[in-house]
Structure formats: structure tokens, C-alpha cells
Amino acid sequence: MHPESISYPVFSNIATLPAAQGDASLTRERPQAAVALAWALRQAAPERAAGLLDGVDLTQLPLASAARAELLRAEWRYAHGDLAAAQTQLAALAQGDGWSDEALLQSDRCAVAYLVARAQGRMDDARAFLNSAQAWAEQSGDPSRIGLCQGHQAFEAIVANVDTAEAIWRDPLTRMVEAAGSPAAPYARYLLGMLEYHLGRPGDAALAFVEAVEGLVGFGMAVLASVCANNASAAFDDLQDMDAALDWAQRALDIARSIGLPLPLGLAQRRVAERLRLLGRHEEAAACLEDARRLMHPFRGSRNFILLLLEWGELTLAASDLPEASEHFGEARDRAAEMDAPDLLASAWQGLATVALKAGEVAHAEAAAQQVLEIAQQLRRPVREAEARMTLGRCKALRGERGAALECMRQAIAVEGAETKAPASWWGELEQILAADGDFAAAYAARVKADAAQRVERGQQAQARALAFQVRLQTARLQTEAAAERQRADVLEASTKTLMQLGEVGQELTSLLDEEEVYEAIRRHVEGLLQAEHFAIYLVDASQQVLEQAIAAQGDRRFAPDSVPIDHPSASSARAFRENRELVLELDPEDPKVLWIEGAVRSRSAMFAPLRSGERRLGVLSIQTARAKAFGDREVQVFRSLCAYASIAIANAKAYRALSETQRQLARQQRLAAVGAMVAGVAHEINTPIGNALLSASSLVETGRRIELSLGEGAVSRSRLLQHAREVQEAGHLVVRSLQRADQLVQAFKQLVQDPRTWRRSNLGLRQEAMQALSLHRVRAIEAGHELSIDIPEDLQIEAYREPLGDLLHHWADNALQHGLRGNRGGRLCVSARAKPAGRIEMQLHDDGAGMPPEVLERAFDPFFSTRLGGQHSGLGLAVVHGIAVDLFGGELQLESPAGGGTRLRWTFPSVAPRLTP
């Protein structure tokens, strides 16, 4: 297979991809393009992508395309949770030959390997694969792949240390957002949302997530779009906009359901469970988490599975199921430690500390809080550090160590200026311990701080709601702009489709040469493109005074032919012709001045336009409909284009009709000349054997007379009688041979005028027919020291007439053996055939004999032409071949004879032969 020029963008604009109707033919006729389409659809429509891939024969692909298909299968396995199989397939791909220098393919392989390793919790391997993916992307120079690899690096930096990530990645991500038209742009916007969210700015985060979702969907990055919608829901939660949080959680679930992959479905279910927990609907939240755990179980080595465990811990803690909560937080802790995810490890320890406090296990709570404190200081997370110190203070208070408790709590409030951010509840706890310790002045001061914190919290809540409202407004504006853009895109797509349809219409119309077929095609396309019920074509007559109705139809009903004088005062068709311009009319069905076609439904909207070929006016095309105001600017433009194509098609059909008539006249003359030449040839060829037979018969008569005379004289000796007998036998043999030769010539001549009524039309296996027709010739070839081979696929079928096909092969083989290979040994004859596009077959009939000089090649198909005329050679063999191949099978025949010798007949014909009319 010849490789196509196929590109593999890392993600494609989904709106530009072809519809699914053509997938079957694409996999069959253009397998490389099918692999490219499957690659583009791998997230947006994974089932369709898998179907495309299943229909492709990888053995027919170039090595790089076959490797791309295998990479797709590996990513498919990853997306469905079969991580071990995906890892094995990726490792096998890494060892493949023939594409190791394909930088784009190598980058994509390493990027998928990064995702698999990350999902398995092999973070060192994941980072190595990511670095390799970026190196290959930079070598390829593909900006989208470079941007996506940088985005993955930014994501790893954000979850590791948000402050460092902001310093390094904010500016690069901002520049990536500005790269319109690249899939890296919405991904970078999503990452900026992550950055804002981890920095405690939920309003900016929500806006970034909302803006990113549509872009991710548009580029087919459906998995990330679902995750992004989940994050938007979390940001709206922080803004205390519960309605928006629910809306975006539903949006995430809808995207996940549309692609049906387990990971995004599990993430969406987890987010819904979190929302239900916050609403106090614990049983429904637990059901969602059960579904999420089942879906995400194959990804149990990933961060997302740890987040699921943490949410389950929070749910069971809220339901006061402390043993269950401890189990979930404990599993999350172990997995986070194994994965080296300190931020998640801190969350797990914090959950365990809270469970232990509620259970009265102070020592366990204190130990867990100490772990949180150390991680928070390492990561420089002041909020987490403050929470850990507050938990330690509560532990000290439960031990009765009020002084140590007060110290821990004051440290918690003082961490990184947290005093202004400390919740009112913390000040309340501090007030209680100070009062119990007898320090009432300090307790009062703590109460004042608590009241102030409550006012701050109420202000923050109001500010959050205002910010949420602002984000909603911006979101609504963005959605309105997106809807307007989609509407513009739909209009553009509709216009593009119309233009493509018009192009196809033009190709069809201008390819037709029969006038009736042209009229019917115009009618069909008018109804399809303009939904017009009534259609008519008028053509001007030779006098240029009358418009003759070529066709008038309403639906499937045809009207009787009619005519309109060009000077008719009220006929719109005549007016359009006279004024040589389009008319767009609104009609009154009751208007008596309008010239209505008898029997037609009266119309309310009509268009008339002259049909022109250069400066010459051919006639008028009109369309009408019962709908009022049916034809706007778009319809006028389409009608104008249809009229232009119709004019060309009608002019072509008329010219073809005139040319055909001229050709028929010439053909009649040529046939008369050919018949004369053929009769002369037949007369010449038959004259020799007939003359010989007459001469021999005369000799027989003379011999008989002499015998009779000798018998009358009584002088017949035995020797003389024997001599007369020999003369009679020789003359008789000569008569028989001459008459046999004459009979052969008559039979060969009859091949040119066979009676098709005796032929059988059926489905034929071309290989079997060729073997049967050439079986005797194979024996003749072997006896003469030659080889006859047949190279035709077993499954190659045609619908044709068996008898003429056998005759064609017989005459070719006979001609090759008697002329091309005559006098030689070790020659080769070969019959081969292959299927070609558009339902055609190419058969080649080849011999490596003496070949033909140009002057012979030029006349090879002429009847009675032969380089060895006389004897057994009639000069009709290749003439019969030509008649069958071209006239009966509707094919094209080329005869080639290169300078080095040999002859090749190249015969191309339809797999369904034309039906013969009686």
C-alpha cells in the first residue's frame, strides 16, 4: 500500500471531523485516514474510535501507522482501566522497529506511558516518561504537543508546591492561553484555574474552569473537560453558590456519561457524593461513592483514588461511623505515602486526627496532628499548619494541659498572619480554655475576637456570594458569546455544506449528456436544495420567438408540454427571458393575470431566471412553492448557482445530441465502408479455397471422363486403373481441404456477428472461468515448451456473459501461441486480473514472445489483418478480442509491445457488464 500524507494532531477540533456514516468505507479504502480519525476521536467518541480501529487491517499499513494504531489500543486499555495490559503494550511498542525516528509518535507513546505510570502510582517512572515525551515533542517542533507536555509539568508542580508553581508557571501558562487554535490553550486555562484554586482564590478559579470546559470539549479532550467541570463545581462550593456547584457537578457527569469511560464517570460520581454529603444526604452520597469506587478501582494507584478514599472518610465521619472513617483515612494515608503525595498524606493524617479526637483517643490524635504539622511546614502550607496546631491544642486541652493547649492555639492563630483569618470557632475554643484557667480578661478579649471573626466571616460570605454572582454573570456572558459563535459556526457550516452540495450538483449536471437525464437531475436538486414543489424549464425555439416547455413537474407529476410566446404580456417566464434577469415574485393565487399551468397547485412564491450559455440565451428555469415569502437571499444565491450549472448542462446535452447525430451519420458511412472492406476480405479469403475446390472438382471430372473412355476402348490395364484412382484421391483430398478451409473462414467470420440470444449472463468467478477457457491452450503451451500461468484472486467476481469471455481468452491465447511464441521454446504466457476502484477490473494478457513492430501494432485489431495470412490464419483473432472487450463488456483495450519484445493486452472493464438489448 502506498502511504498517504496523514497528519496526527495531538487533539483536533471535533466540529471539523467527518460524520460516522462514512466510517466503513474509510476503513476499507483509506485505512491510514481511518487510524488518524480514530486518534482524533479517542476521547470524544471512544466507541467510534474503537470501531474504526477494529475495521483496519494493520498488515496493510506502513509501520508508523500500524504503530499509531497499537498506541491507540494501549490508550484504550488505559482509559478502560486495564493498566497492566496497557503497560505491556507500550513496552512492546518501545522495542518496535521502523518508526523509532518518528518524533511525534514517540512523544505520544511517552505521554500515554506517563498517564499509565501515574495511574499505577509509579511516580518516578511517570516523571521520566513525561520528560521523554517533552524531549520528543521539542524534537518534532509540534507546538501543541510541546504545550501539552509543559502543561503536564505545570500540573505536577502545582500539586507538589503551589507557591513554587506560581513563580515558575504563571507566565508560561498565560502565554499558552493566548495561543488561539491550539488544544494547549484550554488546557493552560484549566491549569491556571488549578493554580488559583490552590492559592485560595475560588472566584478566579471558577471563571478559569468555566472558560476552559468548552474549549476542552471542542478539541475532543472530554476526560479533562469532565475533570474541569468537577473543579468548577468545587470552586462554586467555596463561593457558597450551591446552585452553580450542583449545575457544574451535573455538567461533569453529563460529559462523563457521553464518553462512557470509567475514570471520568468515577470522578463525577465522587463530586456528586461530596455535594450530597454537604447537604446532609448521607445514604445517597454513600451510593454514589460505591459506584465511584467500582469505576475507579482499576486506577487505585492514582491521586484520584486517594481523593475518593478521603471523601469516603469525610462522609463516614459526618455520619459518626468512626471505625469506617478511620479505615478509609488509613487506606488513603498508606496509598499517599506509597505514591509520595505529601499534600494528600497531610489530608489523610488530618482525617485520622479528627476521628481519634472524636473517639477520645488523644494520643493517636496528637500523633496524627504532629504528622500533619511536619508535612505542612515542609510544604509551606500555613492553613494546614494552623489546623494541625489547633488539633494539637485540643489534644492538650483534653489531657488537662491548659497552658500547653493555650500555647498551641495561639500559635495556630498566629501562623502566617492567620489571626485575621482564624474562624470564630477557634476564638470560641480559646475563650473557653482561658475562662476555665481563670484568665477572664483574656477570655473576654478572645470573645471580642470571636465576634469580630464572625463579622468577618459574614462579610466573607457576602463577598463570596457577590463574587459568585459576578462569576455567574461572566459565565452567562461567555455562554452567550459561545452560543453566538456556535450559531455563526452553524451558519458557516450550513453555507459550507450548501457550497459542497452545489459543487457536487455541478459535477453531476455537467457530466450528464442526455437531455432527459439533465432535466430530471435539475428537478431533483431543486427539490432537495430549495424545497420548491413546482419546477419548469422552458427552451427557446429556433425562431427565437417562442419558449417551448421542456419539462414541467410538481412532485412526481409531469405536465403536458406547453409553449409561451416571448412577447406574452403576463407570463413571468417570457418576462425573465426578455429582460434577461432574475425575477423573485410573491404571487396571489387568485390573481387572474397570472399565467398558471393548468392542473398545477397555485403558488405564493416563485423565482424565474434566464438560462445563458455565454451571451446566448437558452431559455428560462422557474421554481414555485405554496409557501409565502419562501425565497430569501440564500435561496436566490443557490438558485442562481443552479441556473448556471443547468445552463452548462443543457448546452452540453444539446451539443452532444448534435455531435451524436453527426457521429451516427459518419458511423453509417464508416460501417458501409467497413462492410465493403469486410466483404472484399471475405471474398478474397474464400476465393482461394473455393477456386482450389473448383479446380480439383474439374480434375475429378476429367479423370472420370478418361476412365470412361479407356473402359470403352477395352484398353484398361491394372496399372492405369491404379493411376486413375490415385488422381481421384488426390483431387478429392484437395476438395475436402479447400472446403474445410472455407468453413473455418465462415466460422471465424461468424464470431464477429455472434447471436447474443444464445449467451448466458451470470455471476462468474474470473479465475475459474479463465482456467476453464484456457485449459486446452495450457496443454498446447506445455507441448510447445512454454508456460501458461493464471494470476487472478479466487474471490474476484464479475457479472457477465460466459461464452464471449471464453472466446476472448481463446483468441488471445491462440494468437500468442501461433504468432508471438512461434518457433521458440521456454516462452511464457500470463493472465492476471485485479479489482480497481469504482467497481472496475483490470485484466492483463501478456506473452514474452517476439512482439509487434509499430506498423503491425497499429492495425492489429483490423479484421482480416495478419502477418501470416493464408493457411490456418484468418486475421480475425484480435478483431474478435477487440469486439468482445470493448463492445460487449463496455471496456477499454490497450495493446502494448515494448522494444525488447513481448506483447501485453491491458483490458479494463466494469465488474458488471452492460446488458445487451435484443
Side-chain angles (χ1 to χ4, degrees):
M1 173 174 292
H2 296 292
E4 291 188 75
S5 179
I6 298 292
S7 64
Y8 293 91
V10 62
F11 286 103
S12 300
N13 188 334
I14 297 301
T16 65
L17 299 180
Q21 288 84 346
D23 284 0
S25 60
L26 190 69
T27 56
R28 183 176 60 254
E29 297 171 9
R30 297 180 59 210
Q32 287 177 261
V35 173
L37 181 57
W39 175 259
L41 291 168
R42 65 192 187 280
Q43 282 195 21
E47 293 298 331
R48 182 183 168 195
L52 279 163
L53 212 57
D54 288 343
V56 172
D57 181 359
L58 297 189
T59 62
Q60 300 298 313
L61 293 175
L63 288 175
S65 294
R68 173 73 61 178
E70 290 296 336
L71 178 58
L72 260 170
R73 291 202 169 103
E75 187 167 356
W76 170 266
R77 291 187 170 97
Y78 155 74
H80 284 80
D82 193 353
L83 303 184
Q87 182 183 359
T88 301
Q89 193 162 8
L90 288 166
L93 267 175
Q95 304 301 318
D97 294 326
W99 58 274
S100 57
D101 58 344
E102 294 277 347
L104 292 181
L105 186 53
Q106 290 283 21
S107 177
D108 293 339
R109 176 187 65 80
C110 292
V112 176
Y114 156 73
L115 295 174
V116 172
R118 205 173 195 288
Q120 293 174 319
R122 299 183 291 114
M123 292 310 298
D124 288 341
D125 290 343
R127 283 186 281 269
F129 282 128
L130 179 54
N131 290 335
S132 295
Q134 184 163 351
W136 281 110
E138 289 170 353
Q139 180 176 325
S140 75
D142 182 70
S144 294
R145 283 176 170 81
I146 294 171
L148 287 170
C149 288
Q150 290 175 341
H152 293 331
Q153 299 280 14
F155 175 81
E156 297 294 347
I158 291 168
V159 297
N161 190 309
V162 68
D163 296 319
T164 303
E166 181 179 33
I168 296 173
W169 285 104
R170 180 175 289 280
D171 289 343
L173 290 175
T174 302
R175 287 193 296 272
M176 286 167 62
V177 166
E178 296 168 357
S182 168
Y187 185 31
R189 194 177 295 280
Y190 157 76
L191 292 169
L192 284 174
M194 289 276 294
L195 195 61
E196 301 292 0
Y197 188 79
H198 282 276
L199 289 170
R201 296 194 280 264
D204 293 336
L207 187 58
F209 289 141
V210 167
E211 290 178 349
V213 168
E214 295 305 324
L216 293 169
V217 169
F219 276 104
M221 303 165 73
V223 173
L224 194 55
S226 178
V227 173
C228 190
N230 269 324
N231 290 347
S233 175
F236 278 112
D237 251 343
D238 289 357
L239 293 172
Q240 300 181 24
D241 188 340
M242 304 307 165
D243 290 339
L246 279 172
D247 288 345
W248 280 99
Q250 185 62 50
R251 174 84 165 116
L253 192 56
D254 290 343
I255 296 173
R257 283 173 175 162
S258 73
I259 55 177
L261 297 178
L263 180 58
L265 276 170
L267 295 176
Q269 290 280 42
R270 176 177 65 80
R271 178 61 194 153
V272 171
E274 182 182 358
R275 192 91 287 289
L276 292 169
R277 170 176 63 81
L278 294 173
L279 293 172
R281 294 157 63 177
H282 295 164
E283 290 185 4
E284 294 170 77
C288 284
L289 287 177
E290 285 287 355
D291 287 342
R293 181 161 191 154
R294 174 180 54 81
L295 290 164
M296 295 176 63
H297 185 261
F299 303 91
R300 55 193 176 275
S302 67
R303 284 181 61 88
N304 288 315
F305 193 80
I306 298 172
L307 289 169
L308 172 67
L309 293 172
L310 292 173
E311 177 54 35
W312 216 323
E314 294 291 346
L315 176 62
T316 48
L317 182 60
S320 299
D321 187 349
L322 299 184
E324 188 78 10
S326 180
E327 181 179 341
H328 291 311
F329 284 127
E331 185 179 354
R333 173 201 60 200
D334 296 341
R335 290 186 180 278
E338 182 180 356
M339 188 181 179
D340 189 22
D343 58 325
L344 300 181
L345 183 59
S347 297
W349 278 118
Q350 183 63 49
L352 287 169
T354 305
V355 170
L357 269 179
K358 284 198 170 188
E361 298 173 353
V362 177
H364 288 148
E366 192 171 17
Q370 188 60 43
Q371 291 288 339
V372 177
L373 179 61
E374 291 175 5
I375 296 171
Q377 288 175 330
Q378 176 189 345
L379 296 179
R380 298 181 61 187
R381 300 284 176 88
V383 174
R384 181 68 77 189
E385 181 183 345
E387 290 174 349
R389 292 188 182 279
M390 197 66 193
T391 303
L392 287 171
R394 293 174 186 131
C395 292
K396 302 294 184 185
L398 288 173
R399 288 180 184 277
E401 301 172 4
R402 286 196 292 272
L406 288 172
E407 179 63 24
C408 286
M409 290 182 178
R410 287 192 176 106
Q411 288 176 351
I413 291 171
V415 169
E416 295 268 340
E419 181 173 343
T420 59
K421 303 176 184 178
S425 60
W426 288 13
W427 289 107
E429 290 182 63
L430 186 61
E431 175 195 3
Q432 291 177 0
I433 294 176
L434 288 169
D437 202 36
D439 190 346
F440 296 107
Y444 176 76
R447 167 46 47 197
V448 172
K449 294 281 190 182
D451 292 341
Q454 279 186 329
R455 288 192 296 274
V456 169
E457 287 174 4
R458 285 194 292 271
Q460 288 174 339
Q461 290 171 359
Q463 185 179 4
R465 285 192 292 272
L467 185 56
F469 181 71
Q470 181 182 354
V471 171
R472 276 201 174 210
L473 286 178
Q474 287 183 268
T475 302
R477 176 180 59 78
L478 289 171
Q479 290 173 337
T480 302
E481 291 176 355
E485 187 61 35
R486 282 195 297 272
Q487 185 176 6
R488 286 193 293 272
D490 290 343
V491 170
L492 179 61
E493 182 180 4
S495 300
T496 302
K497 285 182 178 177
T498 300
L499 288 173
M500 292 176 65
Q501 284 179 291
L502 284 171
E504 293 170 0
V505 168
Q507 288 180 350
E508 179 185 354
L509 288 179
T510 53
S511 68
L512 297 175
L513 294 173
D514 180 80
E515 286 183 74
E516 284 299 319
E517 290 181 0
V518 169
Y519 300 149
E520 180 57 31
I522 295 171
R523 183 194 66 78
R524 187 176 71 252
H525 290 304
V526 162
E527 290 182 357
L529 288 168
L530 296 170
Q531 289 80 49
E533 297 91 9
H534 187 277
F535 156 83
I537 291 178
Y538 298 86
L539 300 178
V540 67
D541 70 349
S543 70
Q544 298 287 306
Q545 299 300 315
V546 177
L547 291 174
E548 300 285 355
Q549 192 182 82
I551 179 175
Q554 196 165 57
D556 294 330
R557 181 183 178 188
R558 290 284 191 101
F559 297 102
D562 197 2
S563 61
V564 179
I566 289 176
D567 59 359
H568 195 290
S570 60
S572 299
S573 54
R575 179 185 163 197
F577 187 87
R578 286 195 310 271
E579 298 177 5
N580 197 23
R581 67 184 182 91
E582 298 162 355
L583 300 177
V584 182
L585 306 175
E586 292 298 314
L587 306 175
D588 180 359
E590 305 303 324
D591 188 351
K593 296 180 181 179
V594 177
L595 187 64
W596 303 103
I597 294 178
E598 185 176 350
V601 177
R602 296 191 173 186
S603 305
R604 293 183 177 275
S605 301
M607 281 197 288
F608 297 81
L611 299 172
R612 293 183 287 254
S613 177
E615 297 299 321
R616 184 165 60 96
R617 278 174 286 174
L618 306 174
V620 173
L621 190 153
S622 79
I623 61 171
Q624 301 178 33
T625 177
R627 293 174 290 119
K629 299 180 179 179
F631 303 133
D633 290 342
R634 172 193 169 273
E635 287 74 20
V636 171
Q637 293 292 333
V638 172
F639 184 59
R640 187 175 297 159
S641 298
L642 279 174
C643 288
Y645 288 133
S647 299
I648 297 170
I650 292 171
N652 286 349
K654 285 183 170 296
Y656 178 71
R657 185 178 62 182
L659 177 63
S660 297
E661 181 59 32
T662 303
Q663 287 176 330
R664 278 193 292 272
Q665 293 176 4
L666 290 172
R668 280 195 294 271
Q669 296 172 1
Q670 289 173 346
R671 277 199 298 273
L672 289 173
V675 168
M678 188 178 295
V679 169
V682 171
H684 172 76
E685 285 296 309
I686 292 182
N687 184 58
T688 300
I690 293 295
N692 290 337
L694 286 172
L695 181 63
S696 298
S698 299
S699 177
L700 282 171
V701 171
E702 177 61 25
T703 301
R705 189 188 63 78
R706 285 191 276 113
I707 292 174
E708 183 181 11
L709 182 61
S710 298
L711 287 171
E713 294 175 351
V716 180
S717 65
R718 178 181 177 84
S719 60
R720 189 160 187 180
L721 188 60
L722 287 174
Q723 180 183 351
H724 287 321
R726 282 195 294 272
E727 289 175 355
V728 168
Q729 283 183 345
E730 288 173 0
H733 285 313
L734 185 56
V735 168
V736 170
R737 285 198 302 273
S738 297
L739 291 177
Q740 284 177 340
R741 175 59 181 158
D743 180 65
Q744 289 173 354
L745 288 168
V746 170
Q747 294 302 321
F749 179 69
K750 285 172 66 178
Q751 289 285 334
L752 295 175
V753 287
Q754 296 185 65
D755 184 0
R757 290 174 296 180
T758 64
W759 296 341
R760 294 170 294 164
R761 182 183 179 91
S762 57
N763 290 321
L764 307 175
L766 196 53
R767 177 179 175 84
Q768 292 76 9
E769 294 299 320
M771 293 182 70
Q772 182 176 342
L774 295 172
S775 58
L776 293 178
H777 294 86
R778 188 192 292 271
V779 174
R780 286 178 57 198
I782 293 172
E783 289 175 348
H786 306 308
E787 175 190 354
L788 194 158
S789 63
I790 297 175
D791 178 19
I792 301 176
E794 289 281 356
D795 59 350
L796 192 56
Q797 298 280 322
I798 63 171
E799 181 183 328
Y801 300 95
R802 173 176 280 113
E803 291 81 357
L805 176 62
D807 290 341
L808 182 150
L809 294 170
H810 159 75
H811 282 289
W812 163 76
D814 197 55
N815 187 80
L817 289 169
Q818 290 194 27
H819 295 278
L821 299 174
R822 177 173 173 267
N824 297 324
R825 295 186 67 83
R828 188 168 183 270
L829 298 88
C830 179
V831 180
S832 64
R834 293 292 183 270
K836 306 295 285 184
R840 297 184 71 78
I841 307 289
E842 182 181 88
M843 177 178 280
Q844 295 193 28
L845 311 169
H846 173 252
D847 71 74
D848 60 358
M852 300 183 188
E855 62 274 12
V856 172
L857 198 66
E858 185 178 350
R859 299 190 57 198
F861 295 130
D862 290 353
F864 300 106
F865 173 77
S866 175
T867 56
R868 299 174 60 209
L869 204 58
Q872 299 298 313
H873 310 290
S874 66
L876 291 173
L878 289 183
V880 172
V881 169
H882 185 276
I884 294 172
V886 177
D887 298 334
L888 299 184
F889 278 77
E892 298 91 38
L893 196 62
Q894 291 179 311
L895 181 59
E896 304 166 357
S897 184
T903 305
R904 184 183 303 273
L905 268 172
R906 195 184 303 273
W907 178 30
T908 305
F909 58 96
S911 59
V912 178
R915 290 190 176 273
L916 301 179
T917 55

